[in-house]
Amino acid sequence: VWLKRNLCFLALWGAIVIALGICVFLKTDAPIFRFFSYLGGVWIVIGLLTSFIRAHFWAKSIAAVCYFFTGMFSLSLVDDSIHTLQDFHFTIGTHTLSAWGILSGILAFAFTLWIFLAMAKVIETQITRVPRLSPSLKVLIAKMIRIVFIAVATAIALSSMGVNLSALTVFGGAIGLGVGFGLQKVVSNFISGILLLVDNSIKPGDVIEIDGTYGWIN
């Protein structure tokens, strides 16, 4: 099951291993490929071992912690690894991104997202125990908390990568244009869902039937 869910990661790791093999055959030093091939192999072992844990939350949590610490430990073992990753950089517009910045951003995003989702799960459990809130309002609050936490985790990851968040205003404007021209229906459906939850016209547990087809609202 774990192998099916992580086919993209396995394919990427396989490509890195092949690239490393080509470099070895050509007698070319490739510290970046060597580092990621070893680290990827360790992460595959961690993923396979944690997949045997039945509790999904604890399996993900233990795997995330192991990924983070093995990544940091692997960097400390490789001579001048951080400097090597920092030297491997490219420029997009006026911003320069390094391999180390991208790696630290991914690790920061994974770690903060794991913490925030754990906090969100605790908050959602407390919200479900409030009798005065309607089921629809409980779902709405839980969804909004998750969206806010994911946005904060993304901002922290971008900051750790060295991306100036104020520069994203232009990107936000581009997204606004995309929403205006091509994503009107998607945004409309999203806002409509929020309004349905707010006005309590439907709630989890209701049954909807349309032309002989029916289903339960979760």
Side-chain angles (χ1 to χ4, degrees):
V1 177
W2 184 88
L3 294 176
K4 292 181 180 179
R5 292 178 179 177
N6 296 272
L7 287 178
C8 292
F9 176 78
L10 292 173
L12 178 61
W13 179 73
I16 293 174
V17 172
I18 293 174
L20 176 62
I22 295 174
C23 292
V24 172
F25 178 76
L26 298 176
K27 297 181 180 180
T28 303
D29 189 21
I32 295 178
F33 288 149
R34 187 183 303 109
F35 171 78
F36 283 111
S37 63
Y38 294 159
L39 183 60
V42 173
W43 282 2
I44 290 174
V45 174
I46 292 173
L48 289 173
L49 292 178
T50 54
S51 65
F52 292 102
I53 301 176
R54 293 186 177 181
H56 182 73
F57 174 76
W58 288 111
K60 292 291 185 181
S61 301
I62 294 174
V65 173
C66 292
Y67 291 152
F68 179 79
F69 284 107
T70 53
M72 293 295 100
F73 182 71
S74 299
L75 285 174
S76 65
L77 293 179
V78 181
D79 294 334
D80 298 327
S81 57
I82 296 179
H83 296 290
T84 303
L85 293 175
Q86 287 176 340
D87 292 337
F88 186 76
H89 59 272
F90 55 93
T91 303
I92 301 178
T94 58
H95 299 281
T96 301
L97 294 177
S98 64
W100 168 247
I102 295 174
L103 178 61
S104 61
I106 293 173
L107 292 174
F109 177 74
F111 192 66
T112 53
L113 185 63
W114 167 64
I115 294 176
F116 286 155
L117 290 182
M119 293 171 57
K121 190 171 184 179
V122 173
I123 295 173
E124 290 171 9
T125 303
Q126 298 299 321
I127 291 174
T128 55
R129 296 176 181 176
V130 179
R132 291 177 294 179
L133 296 178
S134 64
S136 299
L137 192 57
K138 292 177 181 178
V139 172
L140 178 61
I141 294 174
K143 295 293 183 184
M144 289 303 173
I145 289 174
R146 282 184 174 267
I147 292 173
V148 170
F149 281 176
I150 292 174
V152 173
T154 303
I156 293 174
L158 290 175
S159 297
S160 64
M161 293 171 65
V163 177
N164 186 4
L165 296 181
S166 62
L168 295 179
T169 54
V170 178
F171 183 67
I175 292 179
L177 289 175
V179 169
F181 288 106
L183 300 178
Q184 292 181 1
K185 194 169 184 179
V186 174
V187 176
S188 176
N189 289 335
F190 179 73
I191 301 300
S192 299
I194 293 177
L195 293 177
L196 287 173
L197 290 174
V198 170
D199 64 14
N200 290 323
S201 57
I202 60 174
K203 62 183 183 299
D206 289 346
V207 178
I208 293 181
E209 181 179 359
I210 300 176
D211 296 332
T213 302
Y214 66 94
W216 287 269
I217 297 177
N218 293 324

